[in-house]
Amino acid sequence: MQLITVAEYLFCRLAELGIKDVIGVPGDFNLDLVELLEHDERFQWIGECNELNASYAADGYAREHGISALVTTYGPGELSAVNGVAGAYAEHVPLIKITGGIALSKQAKNLPLHHTLLNGAYDQSFKIYQQITCAAEILNFDNPGAQIDRLIESCYQQKRPVYLQFPQDLVTHLIAAPQAKLKLITSTTAEQESKITKLIGQINLQLTTAKKVVILVGELVERYHLQALVQQFLQNSSVAYVVSWGAKGAVDESHSQFAGMYAGCFSAQEVQDYVENADCVLALGWLYCEINSGTFSTKLATNKLISLNLDSGAINGEDYTEISFAALVDSLCQSSIKIAPYPRNFDAHYGVKPEQLSSQIEHDNLIYRLSQFLQNDDTLILETGTIAFTGGYYTLPHGCKIMSSVNWFSIGYALGATTGVSLAKNNGRTILVVGDGSLQMTVQALSTQLRYGLKPIILVLNNSGYTIERIFLGENSSYNDIQEWNYLRLPAAFGGEAYTRQVSTDKGLVEALNDTKSHANQLCLIEVVMDKYKQPPALQKLAAIVAKMKK
């Protein structure tokens, strides 16, 4: 029997998952582990400037690659990463959170060590992570290999973070090498198969008898890597389909069957009417939340909605639980079914084409210009803020997708996530649009991108502070203001080189975007100067709803 260290066991599993970049921040309790990573040719250590940015980068890497690994030290380090890991949990992103922990031998002596609360307990962080992961364990000497496998399999199967605390004295402890591959695909029981067969029969009956059918494609289709399977099913069945706000690009939006983005009142009116007047709406992996539902303005009658979601399904008000989402969608897509066409007489793509170049940059200009700029396989990342409320409106070419934090909405997320996406991306460009207030939250991520030679295209919206907050309260209050930075000098301040340009007109924006094509070999940073009171249509609708609720 071959013996290897526990660290090597973990590394074998990470390599099996195709993870090539391990993101994190070194600290004294993880140094033994990080030192081994440093000299392991299977991985590149990506050292972030702080743990919050590292957690955001790991989120972005997981969304692009399918799963990621994040390493911090015990106590302050892991607590600094909590926000990003919680966001990954809220949005079903599979992230392996690895904490370098205090040696079990030291814990047994009850030593008052640094990074502890000096209260004799060592598990406070562990208890916190139990709330924001689908599984959490502290490795021990009994069977750490089984613990590692159990955590990784849970992470991959449930598409949510897991927490793995790695005590110092287990790093070089010898155990048996893995004897088999990870069980990444959940096997279904006979009872589950019976439930799936019954549910698929009911779905097919309802789909074939309805005259107006729409399929709503949600985020979990992408999280479970079911895009190609679902796309083929959509085309074979001839059904009309829409995407949720958070699933832009999950399926082909250039296809003739594509009928737009549906998110209640955030949708174009004709799309909202089209979906809500259907006889049957089949929702695949739709995360029902405030933004995806247009602030709960969706009107989908229970007797018309079939919802297939994580480990559950619902049809005609009857719930089915403990059903594998991937297995259920696979069974549905394998069924040969033809669905009656549901005619429509509107353009599925949102877009206000400017009649002429504007003297100022409006959000509709930005949406239109970026839609023209996007190419196949690009990833467009939208930061939390005003720009997040343009997410549902872009026209996307084949293979292009939009990535954003649809529910957690943590300001500063996207710049860090851009690092992870850029690392994991094999084809296409990484494009980020970030507000000035958000940028100032996590600007050190720019340093990391320059350090590792990453080449995203970054548009910084300089609208003088927290414009998204101004629309709700404090339109002219100082707490919504920020210090004015010289954004174009940031790359040089971080010791790197980049293409930089400031634009304040529609014409300048078009020119700057075109210029990036001849600067593909370097990071590009464009400062887009906008009026601090300009808001996209969806944000205006949200503000109106919030104002009405206050009355």
Side-chain angles (χ1 to χ4, degrees):
M1 180 176 63
Q2 181 188 5
L3 294 179
I4 61 174
T5 65
V6 180
E8 174 58 22
Y9 192 103
L10 174 62
F11 295 167
C12 287
R13 290 314 199 192
L14 296 183
E16 184 180 337
L17 295 167
I19 294 173
K20 296 180 180 179
D21 303 282
V22 178
I23 302 164
V25 179
D28 52 358
F29 290 122
N30 69 25
L31 286 180
D32 291 342
L33 191 66
V34 174
E35 177 68 16
L36 293 172
L37 277 168
E38 174 79 11
H39 301 287
D40 195 313
E41 294 183 353
R42 292 169 293 184
F43 309 104
Q44 176 181 213
W45 169 257
I46 303 296
E48 256 293 1
C49 299
N50 59 63
E51 291 86 359
L52 177 61
N53 281 358
S55 67
Y56 290 154
D59 180 297
Y61 191 99
R63 293 192 195 214
E64 186 66 35
H65 173 67
I67 194 167
S68 67
L70 166 66
V71 177
T72 72
T73 195
Y74 173 89
E78 60 185 340
L79 291 182
S80 292
V82 161
N83 185 28
V85 176
Y89 182 88
E91 309 219 355
H92 295 274
V93 178
L95 183 162
I96 305 167
K97 171 65 186 71
I98 303 163
T99 289
I102 299 172
L104 297 178
S105 59
K106 293 179 182 178
Q107 293 186 43
K109 296 176 182 177
N110 199 28
L111 297 174
L113 298 169
H114 69 287
H115 288 346
T116 70
L117 298 178
L118 297 179
N119 62 356
Y122 301 99
D123 61 352
Q124 283 91 342
S125 297
F126 172 73
K127 290 178 179 178
I128 291 171
Y129 272 95
Q130 284 182 309
Q131 310 305 310
I132 57 173
T133 59
C134 65
E137 295 198 35
I138 300 173
L139 298 189
N140 57 54
F141 288 104
D142 293 339
N143 198 343
Q147 288 181 287
I148 290 170
D149 290 352
R150 188 160 56 241
L151 287 169
I152 291 177
E153 288 167 359
S154 295
C155 180
Y156 193 90
Q157 292 167 6
Q158 298 186 46
K159 306 304 178 190
R160 275 184 159 148
V162 293
Y163 175 85
L164 188 163
Q165 188 178 129
F166 208 133
Q168 293 167 299
D169 45 3
L170 264 79
V171 173
T172 57
H173 177 66
L174 293 177
I175 61 172
Q179 302 301 303
K181 296 289 186 182
L182 290 162
K183 297 177 182 178
L184 300 179
I185 306 301
T186 307
S187 56
T188 54
T189 64
E191 181 182 0
Q192 290 171 329
E193 289 286 355
S194 176
K195 286 183 179 180
I196 289 173
T197 300
K198 179 181 178 182
L199 185 53
I200 293 297
Q202 290 180 296
I203 292 171
N204 286 347
L205 177 63
Q206 192 156 333
L207 291 178
T208 53
T209 55
K211 295 180 180 179
K212 300 176 180 178
V213 176
V214 175
I215 291 185
L216 170 57
V217 179
E219 291 84 342
L220 291 183
V221 168
E222 182 179 16
R223 299 288 196 275
Y224 279 86
H225 318 294
L226 299 171
Q227 303 98 304
L229 182 66
V230 169
Q231 185 67 53
Q232 193 61 54
F233 169 73
L234 295 172
Q235 293 175 199
N236 290 345
S237 62
S238 302
V239 67
Y241 62 90
V242 295
V243 294
S244 70
W245 183 279
K248 286 282 291 176
V251 286
D252 189 359
E253 299 188 12
S254 63
H255 198 276
S256 60
Q257 291 166 230
F258 178 65
M261 181 281 302
Y262 176 71
C265 71
F266 290 173
S267 320
Q269 187 62 54
E270 57 266 31
V271 176
Q272 183 178 7
D273 293 341
Y274 182 76
V275 174
E276 294 175 358
N277 288 330
D279 300 328
C280 178
V281 176
L282 172 59
L284 302 177
W286 178 44
L287 297 181
Y288 184 76
C289 61
E290 187 174 9
I291 303 304
N292 268 352
S293 66
T295 312
F296 315 114
S297 62
T298 51
K299 297 180 178 65
L300 301 175
T302 302
N303 63 337
K304 296 180 180 180
L305 176 64
I306 304 171
S307 181
L308 308 186
N309 223 309
L310 186 67
D311 298 325
S312 67
I315 182 169
N316 291 325
E318 181 180 358
D319 293 328
Y320 291 76
T321 59
E322 298 181 1
I323 299 176
S324 164
F325 174 74
L328 188 54
V329 173
D330 182 70
S331 295
L332 173 69
C333 293
Q334 298 303 333
S335 61
S336 299
I337 180 173
K338 287 291 182 181
I339 299 172
Y342 181 14
R344 56 183 170 84
N345 57 3
F346 58 87
D347 185 356
H349 299 100
Y350 173 93
V352 179
K353 182 177 180 179
E355 296 182 2
Q356 59 185 8
L357 293 172
S358 172
S359 60
Q360 290 187 328
I361 297 176
E362 307 284 344
H363 278 287
D364 278 338
N365 294 100
L366 195 59
I367 294 168
Y368 180 75
R369 299 305 178 194
L370 280 172
S371 294
Q372 286 191 312
F373 177 68
L374 292 171
Q375 300 173 358
N376 291 356
D377 300 318
D378 284 349
T379 297
L380 174 60
I381 305 171
L382 302 177
E383 178 58 272
T384 299
T386 55
I387 196 64
F389 286 87
T390 67
Y393 304 137
Y394 294 87
T395 299
L396 304 181
H398 180 77
C400 180
K401 64 180 179 181
I402 289 178
M403 200 185 91
S404 64
S405 177
V406 176
N407 184 65
W408 191 241
F409 255 49
S410 182
I411 292 176
Y413 158 80
L415 185 61
T418 297
T419 304
V421 172
S422 299
L423 286 165
K425 198 164 180 59
N426 295 317
N427 301 302
R429 302 170 299 179
T430 303
I431 303 163
L432 165 68
V433 188
V434 56
D436 52 355
S438 297
L439 180 81
Q440 292 194 15
M441 292 270 191
T442 50
V443 69
Q444 290 162 296
L446 189 62
S447 171
T448 306
Q449 292 160 18
L450 291 165
R451 176 184 178 187
Y452 292 100
L454 305 179
K455 303 174 179 66
I457 299 169
I458 301 174
L459 280 68
V460 180
L461 301 188
N462 184 346
N463 52 11
S464 302
Y466 303 126
T467 296
I468 189 171
E469 312 291 2
R470 295 186 197 280
I471 193 172
F472 297 111
L473 191 65
E475 181 178 9
N476 298 300
S477 297
S478 62
Y479 56 76
N480 283 326
D481 298 332
I482 59 174
Q483 172 70 11
E484 184 70 22
W485 287 5
N486 190 324
Y487 297 102
L488 301 189
R489 292 187 180 181
L490 286 174
F494 287 127
E497 295 183 358
Y499 165 75
T500 61
R501 177 168 175 172
Q502 183 189 75
V503 300
S504 57
T505 66
D506 196 18
K507 178 182 179 182
L509 175 63
V510 173
E511 291 174 350
L513 289 173
N514 288 333
D515 282 350
T516 64
K517 296 175 183 178
S518 58
H519 291 272
N521 63 338
Q522 63 184 150
L523 185 147
C524 297
L525 191 152
I526 303 169
E527 180 184 357
V528 181
V529 180
M530 294 184 73
D531 184 277
K532 68 179 181 180
Y533 299 113
K534 291 189 180 299
Q535 299 120 6
L539 183 55
Q540 294 171 359
K541 291 180 180 179
L542 175 61
I545 292 171
V546 171
K548 186 176 181 180
M549 292 172 62
K550 288 182 176 180
K551 293 180 179 179

